[in-house]
Amino acid sequence: MNHSAPGMKTSVAAPLAQPLPGVRRPATAWIGIVLLAVALAVLPFVLTGIGTAWVRITNLAILYCFLALGLNIVVGFAGLLDLGYIAFYGVGAYTYALLASPHFGLHLPFWIILPIGALIACLFGVLLGAPTLKLRGDYLAIVTLGFGEIVRIFLNNLSRPFNLTNGAQGITLIDPFRIDGFTFGKPHTIGSLVVSTPVNYYYFLLIVLVAVIVLNLRLQNSRVGRAWEAIREDEIAARAMGINTRNMKLLAFAMGASFGGIAGGMFSAMQQFISPESFVLVESIMVLSMVVLGGMGNVFGVIVGALLLSYVPEVLRYTVGPAQMALFGRTLIDPEVIRMLMFGLALVLMMLFRPAGILPSAVRKREFETARRPGNGQGTP
Amino acid sequence: MDTFLQQLVNGVTLGSVYAIVALGYTMVYGIIQLINFAHGEVVMLGAMVAYSVIVALAGAGGALPPLAILAIATLTAIPVCMVVGYLLERVAYRPLRRAPRLAPLITAIGLSIVLQNIALIIWTRNPLPYPQVIATVPYRLTATPDGATITNVQIGIIGLSIVMMAGLLLLVYRTRFGVAMRAVAQNPQVAGLMGIDINRIISATFALGAALAAVAGVMDASYYGVAHYQMGFLLGLKAFSAAVLGGIGNLAGAMLGGLLMGMIEALGAGYVGELTNLCHLSGWSDALAQRCVNDPHLELFGSNYQDVFAFVVLILVLVFRPSGLLGERVSDRA
Amino acid sequence: MRPIHTIGLTVVAAAIVSLYGCGKEEPKQAAAPRTETAAAAPAAAPAAETITVKIGSAGPLTGEIAHLGKDNDNGVRLAIDQANEKKIKLGGKTVTFEVLSEDDQADPKLGPTIAQKLADAKAAGVVGHLNSGVTIPASAVYNQAGIPMISGSATNPKLTEQGFKDIFRIVGRDDQQGPAVAQYLESMKIKKVAIADDATAYGEGLANEVEKTLKAAGVNVVAREKTNDKATDFKAILTKIKGRNPDAVFYGGMDATGGPMLKQARELGIKAVFSFGDGACTDTMKKLAGDKNAEGFICSQAGLPVVAASKGFLDAYKAKYKVDPIIYAPFTYDAANLLIAAMQKADSPDPAKYLPDLQKISYDGATGHIEFDDKGDRKLAEITIFTMKDGKLDPIAVVKGGKSVAFADFMKAADAGTPSASTTAPAKADEAKK
């Protein structure tokens, strides 16, 4: 806990970690937390001033934070490269869509479906993990990629012979979140303040995000987190220390997957329409880029990565096109192409020059540095 | 019977292309235990470069015979791809040779995206109609009219693949360079001590794989008549699966795996649908029988799962026989 | 309408040209309305008050189907420019219409965000989006904001089945287009047909409707195959189809896959007639399949095709953009005009006021006569059947309300003065009505 991150609330109980040694925080840290909380609470209204669209963009950014944090458990904590992560997101989204839409005529409340979605995604995580975990890292990467594609292809084709997912047509009229009479899908007025649909979801997402961050931080320093770290650094040594490496890796997959599942459920409710085209490989790679760019293994780094890559396309939209217009009189390269080029280059350059990310986790940084020192090759050239 | 024979011909042709691409994966993997994720993009670049050359030559008057155009195009694509292959290794993999496994994999994915988007900028997103310089001539395989055929292009692809595989085997098992390659693959440190320039051998391996990829790209694009900037990715993944099926690191394995993968896909797309047709079970359930009157194609899995077959094979092989059909290496030596 | 992740779509012979053409045109386009506003405002100011009414135009302006998105956007801009020239008055004030073009990148998750942007900007109405996958999630936001939306290209039936009163479409639904092709195939006395699709919302939806109609007509569907929109190898499924010996093959998918499929089919010696939906009803087919192989295939386009669209529109489009419209520009052009016409009727740009007029509008546009049914779909949208003849796509029949009319007869009827496909410029028709 010596590198405890600033801004982490020690008062919130986390189920997986042991009680922390009494860390005393200076008053300034608390003031910082309070200020941050106030800022985040007011943010949607400020954004609404600029344009409600920005609240929606922020909501998507928070969703990506969930995904990146979930993938971070697998890639950052346990060191297993998962290239099919978006499959779990898709599974969660479809679970929600099937249980809360006219497709099967089911309309369960979200607090029941989200856990179910997490559970089913978790099952898929185990399903994927169990046969593949004894594989070495690079094989695992390809198999997970294949798995991601398989899930998408199934979602796309399970309309025949029996209509489960409605195939490529997607599922429409998905229920928004509802608590008793209160629906997230409509604007509400409190006094003179209008709280629009995206703002409703913003607060929900924010609360879940804080919970997820706390969970992640506690997880990282828990027995489980340290076991993952050990596996990541040296699997054989970890096994020798008595860590059940297989179960630990499975746990990483399962936990990562359930985060994806929850995020998927929320996506479903916010979007009210889903189809398999939202769960393609590029999305997996985008989430991976967020994790890598921000700093594998560092919760706050990952969030920075997720926010950065969520807002960059929006920024590009308003800069690249007009800039090219001004320079060449026409758009030579789509902002979308530039975005993808940036993702690709970011992955390469980060690995070459700053492999531990923008906000590196201390341990990860050490690992990458030791590995680079000559004479430390582990048999492989 | 004609249908089956035709599917077999389709499968063998496709399999030959897979085999050539798989060789690139397996050589690189054999020598530095790295999955060169961007290999599929090299295949794509090969097809694209050749496309530009063909269009230029065909447009320049067309005095050249078709075979010469194709040969010149391929011979241009090969060095371009070799340079790309060399650069990939030099820029992105070599500095990371000692890094944790995750690092080169992530760069490989990054490079794959970069190459795709560069190709997109140069050759646009539209599928390029691949010029049919050689007129397709079908040859009948059976006596039935309208029966199974094999075309001159298919024969060319299969023949060229065999020649290239034989050449590669000769290179690896009969030359000094081949000996050096095998030595590096077995134990780089010791090979280095024996006076072999390891870096040079590794670079050469990448370039060799890229040359094969270039040819595969031209073959694939002219066979199916279309090329586009994303054609390499899935092709690469399937070829990789083929390499794993045959036993990664093993040259003969890659060839066998490629051929098998091609046939699995063709026969799978052709027959799995019929085999999993629920209407075969009509006798067991009246409700089912009634649905089948209306809809006789209640297929659980059909050609829509064509792309899944390769991945399923990959997963099955890795779970039950990680060393592949012909491989001796154990895949999970940590 | 179209699948999102299709790799490279359509490009009609003119498309590459058009992309560059549009690109070059862009500064002028963007500048045109603005200068006009500037010029119009001071001139009109002393006489009467002026107001600006914003019309949203949403579609993919970047990405894989950007050329189609730009085509749609051009249609809207043309309509708006013409409206501005007419100095329309609403509530006694001269109106300057302004187009807000937003890029949805054909990405479903961006649909609601883009819709929100247009809502934030207080758009009085929206023309868009292009893809059904984006249009459906976006429609919920427009509905909530009370902004009427008309899509000129989203063909997924579900769009208008959501019960949203302010969501319209003026292009034929998949379940209108599918039966039309099927009816045409049936009229060719075909007994055995094989059906394939590219497993996208568009291709699958279309193929399912074709299958349904043909089965109902007693045609034997001998194979139902699927590939995907990124595939290049169709030999396996084609061989299977060949084994079943069909008289005709229908493929629901885009030209990017349809062309190579046709080529490979002929290589395998399949002699059946090939038929496609509007996604493969382009000149690109000829390039991808090869001139000889492409000869004689049949395809359909929802609505009246570009060549049958009113001449006034075609001339104006060509004059402004120097290229021919690709597919849906006449529809987005009509959609924008519909919004304006409804506003004129209600004498107000307020969505709440003009929505009832939009619902019961009766309008003669570039794509024929337009009326909406209860769901917001166009009543009796026409579908045109084409064939590739001597390297050119030739309209051979128009299917409307289940009846197939030979194209020549249809045009004759049109020239005789039937309102549908009127050859007068819609602008004039509009003025005549006033």
Side-chain angles (χ1 to χ4, degrees):
Chain A
M1 207 46 227
N2 42 14
H3 61 284
S4 80
M8 172 187 147
K9 291 180 195 166
T10 37
S11 58
V12 185
L16 280 156
Q18 320 102 313
L20 291 164
V23 184
R24 295 220 35 95
R25 280 170 194 289
T28 46
W30 282 110
I31 294 171
I33 292 173
V34 171
L35 282 180
L36 186 68
V38 171
L40 286 175
V42 180
L43 181 69
F45 295 100
V46 177
L47 286 177
T48 307
I50 309 171
T52 316
W54 284 100
V55 186
R56 287 190 189 265
I57 295 169
T58 306
N59 286 351
L60 281 179
I62 298 180
L63 267 187
Y64 276 111
C65 285
F66 288 131
L67 289 175
L69 284 170
L71 184 62
N72 183 44
I73 295 179
V74 186
V75 179
F77 292 173
L80 306 164
L81 188 53
D82 184 348
L83 292 180
Y85 185 68
I86 219 70
F88 306 123
Y89 184 53
V91 167
Y94 266 87
T95 307
Y96 186 91
L98 294 178
L99 296 180
S101 77
H103 184 61
F104 287 137
L106 292 171
H107 296 279
L108 302 183
F110 78 89
W111 64 85
I112 295 180
I113 309 179
L114 283 188
I116 295 178
L119 199 72
I120 293 181
C122 171
L123 272 178
F124 270 81
V126 175
L127 200 72
L128 165 66
T132 51
L133 280 179
K134 62 175 183 183
L135 303 174
R136 239 186 32 193
D138 29 17
Y139 277 114
L140 185 71
I142 302 261
V143 171
T144 49
L145 192 157
F147 175 81
E149 283 297 283
I150 289 177
V151 168
R152 185 184 61 80
I153 293 175
F154 268 84
L155 289 178
N156 206 13
N157 285 303
L158 281 180
S159 51
R160 265 169 185 268
F162 302 104
N163 192 354
L164 181 65
T165 62
N166 206 25
Q169 309 285 329
I171 295 176
T172 40
L173 293 176
I174 299 168
D175 298 343
F177 286 174
R178 278 193 203 100
I179 302 173
D180 281 338
F182 181 89
T183 165
F184 281 63
K186 290 222 166 60
H188 297 275
T189 328
I190 305 167
S192 60
L193 197 65
V194 179
V195 185
S196 61
T197 307
V199 176
N200 290 334
Y201 280 110
Y202 170 84
Y203 285 117
F204 183 82
L205 289 168
L206 193 66
I207 293 168
V208 181
L209 182 65
V210 170
V212 167
I213 292 175
V214 171
L215 186 70
N216 263 283
L217 287 172
R218 306 301 297 240
L219 200 57
Q220 189 172 16
N221 297 300
S222 69
R223 193 182 156 80
V224 177
R226 289 197 305 269
W228 285 335
E229 197 172 277
I231 294 173
R232 189 180 71 205
E233 292 214 337
D234 191 333
E235 192 170 339
I236 296 171
R239 201 178 298 157
M241 302 313 281
I243 294 172
N244 184 338
T245 54
R246 205 200 51 198
N247 284 2
M248 280 298 149
K249 283 174 164 186
L250 265 187
L251 187 65
F253 257 100
M255 292 212 57
S258 11
F259 280 115
I262 293 176
M266 295 192 288
F267 177 68
S268 230
M270 282 163 55
Q271 198 80 354
Q272 297 190 296
F273 166 80
I274 53 163
S275 61
E277 62 198 342
S278 292
F279 310 105
V280 289
L281 182 65
V282 177
E283 293 283 312
S284 282
I285 289 178
M286 185 151 141
V287 178
L288 179 72
S289 309
M290 291 168 177
V291 175
V292 171
L293 194 69
M296 285 183 281
N298 182 333
V299 172
F300 291 99
V302 167
I303 292 173
V304 168
L307 293 178
L308 200 66
L309 288 193
S310 303
Y311 285 109
V312 158
E314 284 305 313
V315 174
L316 285 181
R317 177 194 291 261
Y318 296 109
T319 52
V320 171
Q324 291 189 46
M325 280 295 210
L327 284 175
F328 312 110
R330 61 192 173 96
T331 314
L332 291 175
I333 303 171
D334 276 356
E336 204 202 46
V337 176
I338 294 187
R339 186 184 63 146
M340 287 312 289
L341 268 177
M342 277 177 37
F343 283 1
L345 279 176
L347 287 178
V348 177
L349 296 179
M350 287 309 276
M351 278 299 114
L352 289 179
F353 300 111
R354 203 180 160 86
I358 295 174
L359 286 184
S361 102
V363 188
R364 263 339 258 265
K365 204 169 161 189
R366 198 182 66 224
E367 279 169 36
F368 278 105
E369 267 163 16
T370 343
R372 285 184 154 220
R373 220 168 289 146
N376 191 37
Q378 297 160 354
T380 29
Chain B
M1 189 58 211
D2 270 322
T3 308
F4 181 76
L5 206 59
Q6 187 69 61
Q7 293 289 25
L8 220 53
V9 172
N10 297 342
V12 171
T13 318
L14 179 59
S16 307
V17 177
Y18 285 158
I20 299 297
V21 182
L23 283 172
Y25 280 104
T26 224
M27 281 194 297
V28 166
Y29 194 92
I31 206 156
I32 53 170
Q33 283 78 48
L34 170 97
I35 299 175
N36 179 10
F37 230 112
H39 191 59
E41 311 313 331
V42 180
V43 177
M44 177 269 295
L45 283 179
M48 293 298 201
V49 171
Y51 166 83
S52 294
V53 175
I54 295 175
V55 170
L57 285 180
L64 288 164
L67 258 180
I69 293 182
L70 207 56
I72 294 173
T74 314
L75 290 178
T76 321
I78 290 175
V80 173
C81 287
M82 286 172 85
V83 170
V84 173
Y86 170 78
L87 285 178
L88 284 180
E89 196 274 333
R90 193 70 190 76
V91 175
Y93 301 143
R94 190 177 295 180
L96 294 173
R97 237 177 254 165
R98 291 176 192 284
R101 290 223 152 267
L102 222 56
L105 261 182
I106 292 174
T107 34
I109 297 165
L111 282 173
S112 181
I113 298 173
V114 170
L115 288 179
Q116 267 189 31
N117 282 280
I118 291 177
L120 189 162
I121 293 171
I122 303 178
W123 287 283
T124 77
R125 326 173 165 267
N126 308 310
L128 305 173
Y130 220 75
Q132 300 295 297
V133 280
I134 299 179
T136 316
V137 185
Y139 299 104
R140 239 190 274 160
L141 285 174
T142 55
T144 6
D146 274 350
T149 57
I150 186 165
T151 65
N152 51 348
V153 177
Q154 285 174 318
I155 295 174
I157 288 174
I158 297 169
L160 191 57
S161 304
I162 293 172
V163 170
M164 287 200 305
M165 289 190 242
L168 187 71
L169 286 178
L170 280 179
L171 181 74
V172 171
Y173 289 102
R174 288 284 180 274
T175 62
R176 276 185 73 84
F177 171 72
V179 174
M181 235 176 103
R182 282 180 291 144
V184 175
Q186 245 173 22
N187 191 329
Q189 274 92 353
V190 177
L193 291 177
M194 298 292 128
I196 295 171
D197 184 344
I198 304 173
N199 281 338
R200 224 194 51 173
I201 295 293
I202 293 174
S203 294
T205 309
F206 268 88
L208 193 58
L212 293 176
V215 181
V218 179
M219 293 198 301
D220 184 84
S222 42
Y223 176 44
Y224 293 119
V226 61
H228 60 75
Y229 76 102
Q230 284 185 321
M231 66 183 275
F233 193 76
L234 204 56
L235 181 69
L237 282 178
K238 287 177 181 173
F240 173 77
S241 307
V244 173
L245 172 63
I248 197 145
N250 182 315
L251 293 181
M255 300 172 196
L256 178 69
L259 276 181
L260 282 177
M261 189 60 83
M263 288 203 266
I264 288 169
E265 267 198 18
L267 297 179
Y271 292 99
V272 169
E274 201 45 49
L275 289 177
T276 57
N277 193 340
L278 292 180
C279 289
H280 292 313
L281 305 174
S282 294
W284 299 74
S285 144
D286 286 342
L288 198 61
Q290 279 198 337
R291 266 202 74 177
C292 286
V293 173
N294 215 343
D295 187 2
H297 303 289
L298 280 185
E299 292 158 359
L300 268 187
F301 302 100
S303 47
N304 39 350
Y305 294 96
Q306 190 174 1
D307 287 341
V308 167
F309 298 143
F311 293 123
V312 171
V313 168
L314 175 70
I315 294 176
L316 288 180
V317 171
L318 287 178
V319 171
F320 293 108
R321 197 180 159 83
S323 55
L325 294 176
L326 300 182
E328 319 90 64
R329 279 166 187 280
V330 182
S331 71
D332 74 347
R333 42 161 225 184
Chain C
M1 52 134 272
R2 266 106 214 279
I4 280 187
H5 288 280
T6 345
I7 322 263
L9 271 205
T10 288
V11 173
V12 190
I16 299 165
V17 186
S18 88
L19 266 178
Y20 286 105
C22 295
K24 272 187 222 126
E25 205 56 31
E26 204 80 339
K28 264 189 245 160
Q29 264 177 54
R34 234 169 277 146
T35 45
E36 201 163 319
T37 320
E49 246 185 297
T50 60
I51 46 168
T52 305
V53 173
K54 294 172 181 160
I55 304 280
S57 164
L61 299 176
T62 62
E64 288 166 11
I65 50 175
H67 54 292
L68 293 176
K70 286 206 175 103
D71 187 43
N72 280 11
D73 194 49
N74 284 347
V76 178
R77 286 185 178 275
L78 180 62
I80 298 302
D81 283 359
Q82 291 180 349
N84 280 334
E85 276 165 26
K86 280 187 278 171
K87 302 251 170 4
I88 291 168
K89 282 192 179 171
L90 294 178
K93 296 169 192 160
T94 310
V95 178
T96 312
F97 291 99
E98 189 191 328
V99 184
L100 302 174
S101 297
E102 286 290 348
D103 176 18
D104 64 24
Q105 293 176 12
D107 181 346
K109 74 170 177 289
L110 286 180
T113 308
I114 295 302
Q116 189 72 57
K117 277 188 185 164
L118 290 171
D120 290 346
K122 304 261 178 302
V126 173
V127 180
H129 298 221
L130 198 150
N131 315 70
S132 299
V134 185
T135 315
I136 295 173
S139 64
V141 176
Y142 294 124
N143 179 52
Q144 204 171 75
I147 300 174
M149 182 209 89
I150 308 179
S151 176
S153 50
T155 52
N156 188 330
K158 287 199 166 169
L159 174 62
T160 45
E161 310 258 317
Q162 303 177 94
F164 296 155
K165 287 283 162 238
D166 29 24
I167 302 302
F168 303 87
R169 101 174 95 209
I170 54 169
V171 70
R173 299 156 47 124
D174 285 339
D175 49 4
Q176 291 171 325
Q177 192 185 164
V181 193
Q183 272 151 11
Y184 189 78
L185 284 178
E186 195 201 325
S187 72
M188 293 170 66
K189 304 275 175 277
I190 271 156
K191 292 198 182 59
K192 286 195 288 183
V193 66
I195 296 174
D197 69 61
D198 65 355
T200 62
Y202 162 75
E204 185 192 75
L206 201 55
N208 284 348
E209 294 302 330
V210 170
E211 185 186 6
K212 222 187 283 170
T213 315
L214 285 177
K215 269 184 186 161
V219 176
N220 188 5
V221 177
V222 290
R224 184 72 176 86
E225 297 301 317
K226 274 180 189 223
T227 172
N228 67 68
D229 57 345
K230 289 189 170 66
T232 52
D233 169 23
F234 308 102
K235 294 236 170 174
I237 62 169
L238 287 171
T239 301
K240 187 173 169 188
I241 286 173
K242 188 186 175 192
R244 307 276 168 88
N245 209 7
D247 304 319
V249 179
F250 178 83
Y251 174 65
M254 309 298 298
D255 50 11
T257 43
M261 176 182 276
L262 187 52
K263 169 189 174 310
Q264 291 170 29
R266 298 302 182 218
E267 265 174 31
L268 281 171
I270 298 179
K271 297 200 174 65
V273 177
F274 268 73
S275 51
F276 306 88
D278 60 351
C281 211
T282 66
D283 286 339
T284 314
M285 288 294 286
K286 194 174 57 183
K287 283 198 254 166
L288 286 169
D291 291 350
K292 205 176 91 232
N293 297 331
E295 203 58 22
F297 80 81
I298 292 168
C299 62
S300 70
Q301 265 187 23
L304 279 177
V306 165
V307 285
S310 87
K311 203 166 165 308
F313 163 76
L314 284 181
D315 293 346
Y317 190 99
K318 212 156 178 189
K320 186 164 159 70
Y321 302 110
K322 314 276 181 291
V323 289
D324 285 318
I326 303 178
I327 304 183
Y328 294 109
F331 292 91
T332 53
Y333 172 81
D334 274 358
N337 276 325
L338 278 172
L339 288 172
I340 295 169
M343 286 176 196
Q344 279 179 283
K345 257 197 167 157
D347 202 23
S348 161
D350 181 1
K353 290 198 183 122
Y354 80 77
L355 182 61
D357 289 296
L358 185 57
Q359 281 160 343
K360 48 183 196 277
I361 203 155
S362 168
Y363 180 84
D364 288 313
T367 61
H369 187 72
I370 301 170
E371 275 178 59
F372 291 116
D373 64 11
D374 300 342
K375 288 177 186 160
D377 286 322
R378 184 173 175 176
K379 276 186 194 163
L380 276 189
E382 295 99 338
I383 313 281
T384 312
I385 310 288
F386 289 83
T387 187
M388 181 64 85
K389 201 177 150 196
D390 302 328
K392 267 172 70 187
L393 277 174
D394 237 15
I396 42 174
V398 173
V399 182
K400 187 170 181 176
K403 271 175 285 183
S404 164
V405 186
F407 189 74
D409 299 340
F410 181 81
M411 286 306 268
K412 243 182 258 161
D415 284 339
T418 334
S420 49
S422 77
T423 40
T424 45
K428 275 183 209 151
D430 210 344
E431 263 168 4
K433 234 188 298 172
K434 272 201 307 186

